[in-house]
Amino acid sequence: MIVRPIQLDDLDALQQMARETGVGFTSLPDNREFLREKIEHSMASFLDPRGEGAQLYFFVLEDDQASSAERIAGCCAIEARVGLSSPFYHYRLGRLAHSSPELGLHRLLETLFLSSDHTGDAEVCSLYLRPAWRGGSGLRSRLGTMISRVRWLFIAAQRERFPQRVLAEMRGRVDDQGASPFWKSLGSRFLPMDFGDADRLIGLGEKGFIGELMPKYPIYTAFLTQEARLSIGQVHDQTRPAIAMLAHEGLRWEGYIDIFDGGPTMEAYIDDVRGVRDSRRLVARVDPDASDREARASGFRPRWLVARDGAAKDFRAAWVSRAPREERLVLSLAEAQRLNVSNGDYLRVLEC
Amino acid sequence: MIVRPIQLDDLDALQQMARETGVGFTSLPDNREFLREKIEHSMASFLDPRGEGAQLYFFVLEDDQASSAERIAGCCAIEARVGLSSPFYHYRLGRLAHSSPELGLHRLLETLFLSSDHTGDAEVCSLYLRPAWRGGSGLRSRLGTMISRVRWLFIAAQRERFPQRVLAEMRGRVDDQGASPFWKSLGSRFLPMDFGDADRLIGLGEKGFIGELMPKYPIYTAFLTQEARLSIGQVHDQTRPAIAMLAHEGLRWEGYIDIFDGGPTMEAYIDDVRGVRDSRRLVARVDPDASDREARASGFRPRWLVARDGAAKDFRAAWVSRAPREERLVLSLAEAQRLNVSNGDYLRVLEC
Amino acid sequence: MLVVRLVERRDIDALIALAAQAVPRLTNLPEWREGLEARIESTRASLEREIATPGDEVYMFSLEDTVAGRLVGTATLRAQAGIGQAYYTYRRETMIHASPGLGLRQEVDVLSFSHEISTATQLCALAVAPEYRDDLEAVALLRRARLAFIKQHPQRFAHWCAVAFAGVLDARGRSPFWESVGRHFFDRDFAEINFHAGRRAKSFVAEMMPQLPLYEELLTPEAREVIGETHIAHRHARQAMLDEGFKPGRHIDIFDAGPVLTARAQRLRTVAESRGCTLAPREPGPDAPCALVARSGLDDFRVVAAPAVLDPDGGARLGASARRALEMESGERLLLVPPRSTVEAT
Amino acid sequence: MLVVRLVERRDIDALIALAAQAVPRLTNLPEWREGLEARIESTRASLEREIATPGDEVYMFSLEDTVAGRLVGTATLRAQAGIGQAYYTYRRETMIHASPGLGLRQEVDVLSFSHEISTATQLCALAVAPEYRDDLEAVALLRRARLAFIKQHPQRFAHWCAVAFAGVLDARGRSPFWESVGRHFFDRDFAEINFHAGRRAKSFVAEMMPQLPLYEELLTPEAREVIGETHIAHRHARQAMLDEGFKPGRHIDIFDAGPVLTARAQRLRTVAESRGCTLAPREPGPDAPCALVARSGLDDFRVVAAPAVLDPDGGARLGASARRALEMESGERLLLVPPRSTVEAT
């Protein structure tokens, strides 16, 4: 399995994944033209030697051993700087003291403020592992980790392409009918459309209507329904593993939520993220005598995620079977080939 | 030199320090009754076995070797949870996108929101080292570090007494005439008093008037004078060393500022603070044969700050001369006596 | 005969009884001796003061049944609704949220905390004893007497007036608006808050109630339904004030969302239609129509409703009982508001 | 003779010239052929439509000098100021910040983004050729003709009207208010924004201008001085509108802080005092006072100022030139506003 930048050839697979994800997976709408542009945007970003604008780095997880046509197992992406060309909004949960010395009352009220505070931050997004590749044991049990953490490996390798902070938006809570209580209590009062339509517009990058239609004054959460209040910063059941993984990386919820479903925005300073902080830069030592037997064993549970530490466009990440020793990592010929690495090249390595 | 909880006997020295600090050092007004209450509040807090309310832990730095009456060299404090009994306000610097697809305009505007977000957080405050004790070399050169970092040692030793987050408020920038440009541009328009009076009221805990008199609607910073805008989050020249020290501990400015002078609020999750994270719990090994020669040498520059890891009321912190070895720290008899520690007691140790 | 006059210290017990019987309880008339005594003292002090422009004066009036020899109603004028303590309302405003790109346009109703009414002269605290509530003339006399007083002493009052009416309560006496709005900010019942608001400086409202604009969309349907609606017991009173010339407006009470009506003082019918004249020696004929008649004066201001005829020379003929009730003799100045039927509709 | 009539397609070149000569430049009358052509088309379409309640109709009028045979003025009515595109103003509100504990009370002036004026009928885009600017009768005719049109077709207009006047500019033609407020949100000059606002849908305003209330205290002293003040070139016009019955209010223009006056349509003098009558066959005498006379009609609505006499039987006598200008024959219906001196002051 390798993770590599997406190419135009992957359009069919990407659209297939967009269909599988459905509503609520905002960033991957089922719109071929839009997806093609996304791929082209990503390809241009990887090629850009400096990469200081609103770059998009989109990756696919490919089964390089697969014999069938279905080689693409999942995808993930990083937006280098959100909100530079179109507005980017959150609600921010704040607190305001209301206090009356005369009545001996002192209350703290929660408020939601429309905010674009995260403009210019990086975002990790579009993480998807196709159902056929989920579960299992050995290497297969590690694909979720791979497709998620590979982004930190890339960011660490291309640190100068990214700003100070990174965020990830989590799908918000839904009720038994699959509806968002937060949307019902707030968004639906101001946007004359259903949740799916609003979400689709956002996915297509049409965010201007938020500033036009959503409330401009701060909202006291006391005016929302209890279900909506209880949904603030809470995630969709299916998102629990993802949020746990991000929390483990050191991302936290600092009070920013999605304006539609109230889902939490997880965030951190990039240099504090475990996957970035703990990754190491090592020298590849390609050993023709090194065996691949262990890695080919069915129960092999890889621990070392590796990519070449060089030009962004050459990024390819894969598991290797050996632990690094001091500043070196021994690769078998097969591993070196898979990573497109030669003896003496620099590697970026993360223990997962 | 030791750091210990303040006692009623220290009232004269505390008032002397309040006089020395002057305007802008909000938390230490020159008001004897107020200072006495502060001491009593602190004494009750140290004695409280659980300490889960709005506790105040006030420390003094004492020269236990001094022959003169002037033994108190400085002070520092920790408020366990701010804003529980009276409102606690900041302005929070936020950003809001204003965007017009039709005109091809997309701007990000900075806003100041009145906020009580930090209610319930811990605050480190009231740090003061008297002029006579500043400068010098050897141990004397380390007193600033000692009086500052001892708070992390206490928090680490009494972790359950503190919440998730901690903050520190920094004095804001003043102009050549000693006036705050932020105050001139904002606060003075709404509060018919001078900066010193407003600051004094805050110091006395009279914060209700902020909610009553200060603007309730968010403020676009564009409406402030340029000098005021440039003061947002900037510190007083005298505060640069303090902010550098806090930044080194891992505290960051997250956009909250003082509502009067615009000075930054530094903050962190307590468990991320270097002084808390790096402190260790060790066993005291009191060795009657251990020499104090090194510690008594004039050029001795101590590195290990230590306190007993036990009841809050027994907290005493001092330097020791030896580095820990594995889980143990060897103390001379004099060191053990100074820390009020017996062989086998647990210690909290921080390398400074 | 019913006569309206300025309050006297001896009225206190009767006023407390009136406050206790008011339905619904009036914020401005709490059953609270110290408060009512203070208002009487304020009235007496206001009458003694030389006034060039309106300030914090209060004028409390009593309705007396001279036959029964008892006090049966009360009403108050505050020269300025919000002097000393701010008078807050919510002001209803419609915002447009439009997205040309999506071809959408939404009207969004907002309640903004407002202090605008503070400068108006406030008509408040009107209450009559239960057995006089159906006596529409008694209530009208009390209501209009205040306006005659304003006509007499314009320098003591603002150029505009405001009057608030209690909002709708549910079957259990709770205010749906309070339950949806105020409740979040005070964990107390409407009745209790109303009591506090009546007794204490209302400034605590400023401190505790939301000052940021509120979106009506986010209130409960029950609360939205009662915005600007009047308690059933006050609907007649509201209609009477509309007839008098008050206009419905955008302001509502911050506690119960009852309406606040406003008008320019000089446009109110009782003010506009009243004219000064002199008490003529003759009596009116048996079929003279009933007019509002006020004795000119400050402390000795008195008002009755009585048959009256205006002579061509500007003299006003009044019957003996009205003269007695007004304590007036021929040749003294009075203010007369001719009956409605004789005045063209404006 | 000067006559006001609805705009015709052939007026376009003259209108462009008028727009170019306006001082100060009018937001609502940009020198922009496509825009003016569109307004003419809107006017024609509005006249053809059956209207029960006011909507997005526009009525543009032309002032023609029939002697010189040229178009010398224009003015516009928008049935609703903010339909289709919202009409925003700032509304001035005073808040009280009081601290009973400290014994302090501060009045704080706030500008709130408001959409309230949107539902009013808007009088706008009045301009006359430079050589007619001192002809007060020409300007008055143009101004009042619109009100006569409202009187004739009340169902086409809102029950209230609004008119905005350009705000104060400094010696260099910059708006101090714009420099202190709008400038922060658009890095463009006032003139350019004004031009955009005139040409494009104003909806971009909603997107870019601050919608949160602004504290006047935080504006520059120069900006605060011009809030609600009128450009010197429009002061006569403003006074004329006050005389007509418009009231100064709390609303100001969001760009230059010029005042927005409002009034109930029926209270405006030209509306209130005009009456329908029939053109009498006879001519008025030589000393007949000058009245505003409008030919009843929609597309063929025409207005002149001419000597007129109202006969007791309701017939109106007009001179030959006025008949010609109005293109009317005896027996046809007209609307007559008698000269001011013959009507009691209200």
Side-chain angles (χ1 to χ4, degrees):
Chain A
M1 304 298 295
I2 61 161
V3 176
R4 58 160 176 83
I6 198 166
Q7 305 297 335
L8 268 184
D9 286 352
D10 300 317
L11 181 55
D12 286 341
L14 185 62
Q15 188 165 20
Q16 184 54 40
M17 289 191 282
R19 279 183 191 138
E20 288 167 18
T21 55
V23 165
F25 200 91
T26 311
S27 62
L28 221 52
D30 177 14
N31 176 320
R32 194 170 177 88
E33 239 355 87
F34 182 82
L35 295 174
R36 182 197 302 278
E37 280 168 23
K38 221 175 178 76
I39 293 175
E40 285 167 354
H41 182 193
S42 174
M43 291 171 68
S45 300
F46 278 105
L47 283 170
D48 184 334
R50 294 219 320 264
E52 292 174 341
Q55 314 287 15
L56 170 70
Y57 304 99
F58 206 105
F59 303 88
V60 287
L61 172 63
E62 180 176 3
D63 186 346
D64 56 345
Q65 314 278 297
S67 47
S68 76
E70 289 268 293
R71 297 169 67 94
I72 303 299
C75 62
C76 67
I78 315 167
E79 285 205 51
R81 283 171 192 80
V82 296
L84 291 194
S85 53
S86 69
F88 190 78
Y89 295 105
H90 282 115
Y91 277 121
R92 181 171 182 289
L93 186 67
R95 295 187 295 172
L96 190 57
H98 279 226
S99 129
S100 169
E102 282 159 307
L103 289 185
L105 287 175
H106 176 48
R107 292 188 80 125
L108 211 56
L109 292 165
E110 292 198 329
T111 50
L112 295 176
F113 288 91
L114 198 64
S115 146
S116 306
D117 289 356
H118 286 297
T119 304
D121 291 354
E123 181 183 8
V124 293
C125 56
S126 302
L127 180 73
Y128 182 64
L129 184 64
R130 301 179 70 180
W133 304 86
R134 293 179 200 163
S137 62
L139 185 141
R140 274 187 59 106
S141 72
R142 309 236 62 204
L143 294 180
T145 300
M146 184 182 189
I147 194 72
S148 169
R149 299 202 83 194
V150 70
R151 297 178 293 190
W152 308 123
L153 203 64
F154 181 79
I155 290 174
Q158 305 290 333
R159 185 66 189 85
E160 71 289 353
R161 290 176 178 252
F162 296 95
Q164 263 210 304
R165 296 185 62 93
V166 65
L167 64 93
E169 299 198 313
M170 303 283 102
R171 256 176 104 164
R173 175 185 280 178
V174 295
D175 63 18
D176 297 343
Q177 283 77 47
S180 157
F182 188 80
W183 166 261
K184 277 202 287 189
S185 183
L186 184 56
S188 71
R189 310 291 178 94
F190 294 92
L191 296 178
M193 55 184 84
D194 67 29
F195 181 79
D197 289 338
D199 206 58
R200 192 177 45 74
L201 285 164
I202 293 290
L204 294 171
E206 301 288 343
K207 294 174 187 171
F209 74 95
I210 297 170
E212 292 164 348
L213 296 174
M214 287 293 277
K216 276 91 186 165
Y217 300 132
I219 305 284
Y220 290 96
T221 61
F223 291 109
L224 305 184
T225 59
Q226 200 191 357
E227 297 73 42
R229 282 202 305 282
L230 292 176
S231 300
I232 291 173
Q234 299 298 311
V235 292
H236 193 281
D237 281 343
Q238 290 174 15
T239 310
R240 282 184 210 291
I243 202 174
M245 209 181 284
L246 291 170
H248 182 74
E249 295 287 350
L251 278 77
R252 284 172 168 133
W253 180 45
E254 303 284 11
Y256 293 87
I257 59 170
D258 184 75
I259 60 168
F260 293 144
D261 69 12
T265 291
M266 299 291 283
E267 59 184 288
Y269 287 87
I270 284 180
D271 293 329
D272 288 353
V273 173
R274 192 179 296 238
V276 175
R277 204 177 56 196
D278 293 355
S279 79
R280 293 161 63 196
R281 190 162 182 258
L282 301 174
V283 176
R285 169 95 178 79
V286 181
D287 181 353
D289 297 335
S291 150
D292 272 340
R293 210 177 333 145
E294 196 198 347
R296 288 203 309 270
S298 70
F300 175 62
R301 204 166 176 284
R303 270 174 63 199
W304 301 95
L305 189 60
V306 179
R308 198 163 106 175
D309 193 70
K313 66 178 169 49
D314 299 331
F315 185 84
R316 287 169 79 89
W319 297 106
V320 300
S321 52
R322 286 166 201 79
R325 297 253 165 162
E326 289 164 3
E327 298 308 305
R328 289 202 187 160
L329 183 67
V330 172
L331 301 177
S332 70
L333 280 175
E335 286 170 340
Q337 205 167 21
R338 177 173 296 147
L339 292 167
N340 194 21
V341 154
S342 309
N343 197 35
D345 282 350
Y346 279 103
L347 301 174
R348 180 63 56 167
V349 181
L350 179 62
E351 185 177 2
C352 296
Chain B
M1 304 298 298
I2 62 163
V3 176
R4 58 160 175 82
I6 198 167
Q7 305 297 335
L8 270 184
D9 287 351
D10 301 316
L11 180 55
D12 286 341
L14 184 62
Q15 188 166 18
Q16 184 53 40
M17 290 191 283
R19 280 184 190 138
E20 288 167 18
T21 55
V23 166
F25 199 90
T26 310
S27 62
L28 221 52
D30 176 13
N31 176 320
R32 193 168 178 88
E33 239 355 85
F34 181 81
L35 294 174
R36 182 198 302 280
E37 280 168 23
K38 223 177 178 74
I39 293 175
E40 285 167 353
H41 182 193
S42 173
M43 290 171 67
S45 301
F46 278 105
L47 283 171
D48 183 333
R50 295 220 319 263
E52 291 175 341
Q55 313 288 16
L56 169 71
Y57 303 99
F58 207 105
F59 303 88
V60 289
L61 173 62
E62 180 176 2
D63 185 347
D64 56 343
Q65 315 278 296
S67 46
S68 77
E70 290 266 295
R71 298 169 66 94
I72 303 298
C75 63
C76 67
I78 314 167
E79 285 205 51
R81 282 170 191 83
V82 295
L84 292 194
S85 52
S86 69
F88 190 78
Y89 296 106
H90 283 115
Y91 277 122
R92 180 170 184 289
L93 187 66
R95 295 188 295 172
L96 190 58
H98 279 226
S99 131
S100 169
E102 283 160 304
L103 288 185
L105 288 175
H106 176 48
R107 293 187 79 126
L108 210 56
L109 291 165
E110 292 197 330
T111 49
L112 295 176
F113 287 90
L114 198 62
S115 144
S116 307
D117 289 355
H118 286 296
T119 304
D121 291 354
E123 180 183 8
V124 293
C125 56
S126 303
L127 180 73
Y128 183 63
L129 184 63
R130 302 178 70 180
W133 303 86
R134 293 181 201 162
S137 62
L139 186 142
R140 274 187 58 107
S141 73
R142 307 236 64 204
L143 294 180
T145 300
M146 185 182 187
I147 192 72
S148 170
R149 300 202 82 194
V150 70
R151 296 178 293 191
W152 308 123
L153 203 66
F154 182 78
I155 290 173
Q158 306 289 332
R159 184 66 188 87
E160 72 288 353
R161 287 177 179 251
F162 296 95
Q164 264 210 301
R165 296 185 63 92
V166 65
L167 64 92
E169 300 199 311
M170 303 283 103
R171 260 175 98 163
R173 177 184 278 178
V174 295
D175 63 18
D176 296 343
Q177 283 76 50
S180 157
F182 188 81
W183 166 261
K184 278 202 287 191
S185 183
L186 185 55
S188 71
R189 309 292 178 93
F190 294 92
L191 296 179
M193 56 183 84
D194 68 27
F195 180 79
D197 289 339
D199 205 59
R200 193 176 44 76
L201 284 165
I202 293 293
L204 295 171
E206 301 288 343
K207 295 175 186 168
F209 74 95
I210 298 170
E212 292 164 347
L213 296 174
M214 287 293 279
K216 275 93 187 165
Y217 301 132
I219 306 284
Y220 290 96
T221 61
F223 290 109
L224 305 184
T225 60
Q226 199 190 0
E227 298 74 38
R229 282 203 304 281
L230 293 175
S231 301
I232 292 173
Q234 298 298 311
V235 292
H236 193 280
D237 281 343
Q238 291 174 15
T239 310
R240 283 185 208 293
I243 202 173
M245 208 181 286
L246 290 171
H248 182 74
E249 294 287 351
L251 278 77
R252 284 170 166 138
W253 181 44
E254 302 285 9
Y256 293 87
I257 59 171
D258 184 75
I259 59 169
F260 293 143
D261 68 12
T265 291
M266 300 291 284
E267 59 185 287
Y269 287 86
I270 283 181
D271 293 329
D272 287 353
V273 174
R274 191 178 296 238
V276 174
R277 204 176 55 197
D278 294 353
S279 78
R280 292 163 62 196
R281 190 164 182 257
L282 301 174
V283 176
R285 169 95 177 78
V286 181
D287 182 351
D289 298 336
S291 150
D292 272 339
R293 212 178 335 145
E294 197 198 346
R296 287 202 311 269
S298 69
F300 175 60
R301 206 166 172 282
R303 271 175 63 200
W304 302 94
L305 188 61
V306 180
R308 199 164 106 174
D309 193 70
K313 67 180 169 50
D314 299 332
F315 185 85
R316 287 167 78 90
W319 297 106
V320 302
S321 52
R322 286 164 201 81
R325 297 256 164 158
E326 290 166 6
E327 299 308 306
R328 286 198 191 165
L329 182 68
V330 171
L331 301 178
S332 70
L333 281 175
E335 287 171 341
Q337 204 166 21
R338 177 174 294 147
L339 292 167
N340 194 21
V341 154
S342 307
N343 197 38
D345 280 353
Y346 278 103
L347 302 173
R348 180 62 58 166
V349 182
L350 179 62
E351 184 176 3
C352 296
Chain C
M1 178 158 248
L2 292 171
V3 59
V4 175
R5 56 166 173 78
L6 284 146
V7 74
E8 305 277 356
R9 292 195 178 84
R10 60 184 156 86
D11 297 341
I12 181 71
D13 291 329
L15 290 172
I16 291 168
L18 284 170
Q21 291 161 341
V23 176
R25 293 309 174 91
L26 298 175
T27 314
N28 282 302
L29 194 69
E31 180 195 349
W32 177 44
R33 178 174 289 266
E34 292 78 5
L36 295 173
E37 280 176 350
R39 192 176 302 171
I40 296 173
E41 292 308 319
S42 291
T43 300
R44 305 315 308 175
S46 299
L47 294 170
E48 276 163 28
R49 233 180 284 162
E50 288 281 331
I51 306 283
T53 53
D56 62 356
E57 299 82 36
V58 177
Y59 306 92
M60 192 179 202
F61 296 87
S62 295
L63 174 66
E64 198 177 329
D65 183 334
T66 55
V67 174
R70 57 181 282 230
L71 195 152
V72 298
T74 179
T76 296
L77 281 176
R78 285 183 197 278
Q80 283 200 43
I83 206 150
Q85 35 182 272
Y87 182 78
Y88 290 101
T89 55
Y90 280 125
R91 188 171 183 285
R92 301 183 75 177
E93 174 104 26
T94 302
M95 306 294 287
I96 301 297
H97 289 188
S99 174
L102 299 182
L104 288 174
R105 178 187 160 91
Q106 297 278 100
E107 302 213 341
V108 177
D109 293 323
V110 168
L111 299 177
S112 295
F113 212 60
S114 169
H115 184 259
E116 197 175 335
I117 302 294
S118 283
T119 59
T121 288
Q122 187 187 11
L123 284 68
C124 62
L126 185 144
V128 291
E131 57 277 32
Y132 288 79
R133 270 177 208 151
D134 293 332
D135 181 346
L136 294 181
E137 282 177 22
V139 178
L141 175 65
L142 188 52
R143 185 180 301 127
R144 297 175 66 204
R146 290 177 295 186
L147 300 175
F149 191 74
I150 291 173
K151 169 74 170 227
Q152 273 270 283
H153 304 286
Q155 80 286 358
R156 288 180 175 260
F157 297 98
H159 70 278
W160 66 311
C161 296
V163 59
F165 294 97
V168 173
L169 304 183
D170 68 14
R172 291 148 69 189
R174 296 182 317 183
S175 157
F177 188 78
W178 174 260
E179 294 299 320
S180 181
V181 178
R183 166 71 72 193
H184 300 307
F185 301 92
F186 303 80
D187 199 14
R188 310 232 177 137
D189 283 338
F190 175 67
E192 190 186 344
I193 286 297
N194 209 14
F195 180 72
H196 276 295
R199 288 180 67 138
R200 306 233 197 175
K202 276 190 176 174
S203 68
F204 76 88
V205 171
E207 292 155 20
M208 294 297 287
M209 286 293 277
Q211 305 216 341
L212 296 166
L214 303 181
Y215 292 100
E216 289 188 19
E217 273 291 350
L218 299 181
L219 308 189
T220 61
E222 295 77 22
R224 300 189 60 186
E225 253 175 38
V226 304
I227 290 175
E229 296 296 317
T230 307
H231 189 283
I232 192 158
H234 283 196
R235 293 209 183 134
H236 275 118
R238 177 172 170 280
Q239 188 55 51
M241 283 307 199
L242 290 173
D243 294 345
E244 182 66 55
F246 276 93
K247 301 282 174 214
R250 293 172 173 270
H251 293 269
I252 62 166
D253 186 76
I254 58 172
F255 294 141
D256 66 9
V260 179
L261 310 186
T262 59
R264 292 181 67 82
Q266 297 307 319
R267 286 253 171 82
L268 292 169
R269 296 183 64 163
T270 298
V271 176
E273 297 166 8
S274 60
R275 49 199 72 170
C277 44
T278 306
L279 183 56
R282 279 175 298 172
E283 298 240 338
D287 54 352
C290 211
L292 196 75
V293 188
R295 171 183 168 140
S296 292
L298 187 58
D299 195 356
D300 51 359
F301 177 82
R302 297 171 77 85
V303 189
V304 297
V309 164
L310 202 55
D311 284 337
D313 64 358
R317 299 193 213 166
L318 278 186
S321 61
R323 285 164 184 266
R324 264 199 311 279
L326 293 173
E327 299 172 2
M328 285 184 77
E329 292 175 15
S330 302
E332 289 187 305
R333 297 290 296 168
L334 55 75
L335 199 69
L336 186 125
V337 193
R340 289 287 145 91
S341 55
T342 69
V343 177
E344 276 177 66
T346 49
Chain D
M1 177 157 250
L2 292 171
V3 60
V4 175
R5 56 167 174 75
L6 283 146
V7 75
E8 304 277 356
R9 292 195 178 85
R10 61 185 155 86
D11 297 340
I12 182 71
D13 291 329
L15 290 174
I16 291 168
L18 285 171
Q21 292 162 339
V23 176
R25 293 308 174 91
L26 298 176
T27 315
N28 283 302
L29 194 70
E31 180 195 349
W32 176 43
R33 179 175 289 268
E34 291 78 4
L36 294 173
E37 280 176 350
R39 192 176 302 170
I40 295 172
E41 293 309 320
S42 291
T43 300
R44 305 316 308 174
S46 299
L47 293 169
E48 277 163 27
R49 232 178 285 163
E50 289 281 334
I51 305 285
T53 53
D56 62 357
E57 300 83 38
V58 178
Y59 305 93
M60 192 178 201
F61 296 86
S62 293
L63 174 67
E64 197 177 329
D65 184 333
T66 56
V67 175
R70 58 182 280 232
L71 194 153
V72 298
T74 179
T76 296
L77 281 176
R78 286 182 197 278
Q80 282 200 43
I83 206 150
Q85 36 183 272
Y87 183 77
Y88 290 102
T89 55
Y90 281 125
R91 187 169 184 287
R92 301 182 76 178
E93 176 105 25
T94 303
M95 306 296 283
I96 301 295
H97 289 189
S99 173
L102 300 182
L104 288 172
R105 179 188 160 92
Q106 298 278 100
E107 301 214 340
V108 177
D109 293 324
V110 167
L111 299 177
S112 295
F113 212 60
S114 169
H115 183 258
E116 196 175 334
I117 303 293
S118 284
T119 59
T121 289
Q122 186 187 13
L123 284 69
C124 62
L126 185 145
V128 292
E131 56 279 31
Y132 288 78
R133 272 180 206 148
D134 294 332
D135 182 347
L136 294 183
E137 281 176 23
V139 178
L141 175 65
L142 189 51
R143 185 181 300 126
R144 296 176 65 205
R146 290 176 295 186
L147 301 176
F149 192 73
I150 290 173
K151 170 74 171 227
Q152 272 271 285
H153 304 285
Q155 80 288 358
R156 288 180 175 259
F157 297 98
H159 71 278
W160 66 312
C161 297
V163 58
F165 296 97
V168 174
L169 303 182
D170 67 15
R172 290 148 70 189
R174 296 183 314 184
S175 157
F177 187 80
W178 174 260
E179 293 300 319
S180 181
V181 179
R183 166 71 72 193
H184 300 306
F185 302 92
F186 303 81
D187 198 13
R188 310 235 177 134
D189 283 338
F190 175 68
E192 190 186 343
I193 286 297
N194 209 13
F195 180 71
H196 276 293
R199 287 181 67 138
R200 307 234 197 175
K202 276 189 177 176
S203 68
F204 77 89
V205 171
E207 292 155 22
M208 293 297 285
M209 287 292 276
Q211 305 215 341
L212 297 166
L214 303 181
Y215 292 100
E216 289 188 20
E217 273 291 350
L218 299 180
L219 309 188
T220 60
E222 296 77 21
R224 301 189 60 185
E225 252 175 41
V226 303
I227 291 175
E229 296 296 317
T230 307
H231 189 282
I232 192 158
H234 284 197
R235 294 210 183 134
H236 276 117
R238 178 172 170 278
Q239 188 55 49
M241 283 307 198
L242 290 174
D243 294 345
E244 183 66 55
F246 277 93
K247 300 283 174 212
R250 293 173 173 269
H251 292 268
I252 62 166
D253 185 77
I254 60 172
F255 294 141
D256 67 9
V260 179
L261 309 187
T262 58
R264 292 181 65 85
Q266 297 308 319
R267 286 253 171 82
L268 292 168
R269 296 184 62 161
T270 298
V271 175
E273 297 166 9
S274 60
R275 49 198 72 171
C277 43
T278 307
L279 184 55
R282 281 174 297 171
E283 297 242 341
D287 54 354
C290 209
L292 196 76
V293 189
R295 172 184 168 138
S296 292
L298 187 59
D299 195 357
D300 51 359
F301 178 82
R302 294 171 79 85
V303 189
V304 297
V309 165
L310 203 55
D311 284 337
D313 63 357
R317 300 194 212 166
L318 277 186
S321 60
R323 286 164 181 265
R324 264 200 309 282
L326 293 173
E327 300 171 3
M328 284 183 77
E329 292 175 15
S330 301
E332 289 187 304
R333 295 292 294 168
L334 55 76
L335 198 68
L336 187 126
V337 191
R340 289 286 145 91
S341 55
T342 69
V343 177
E344 274 178 67
T346 48

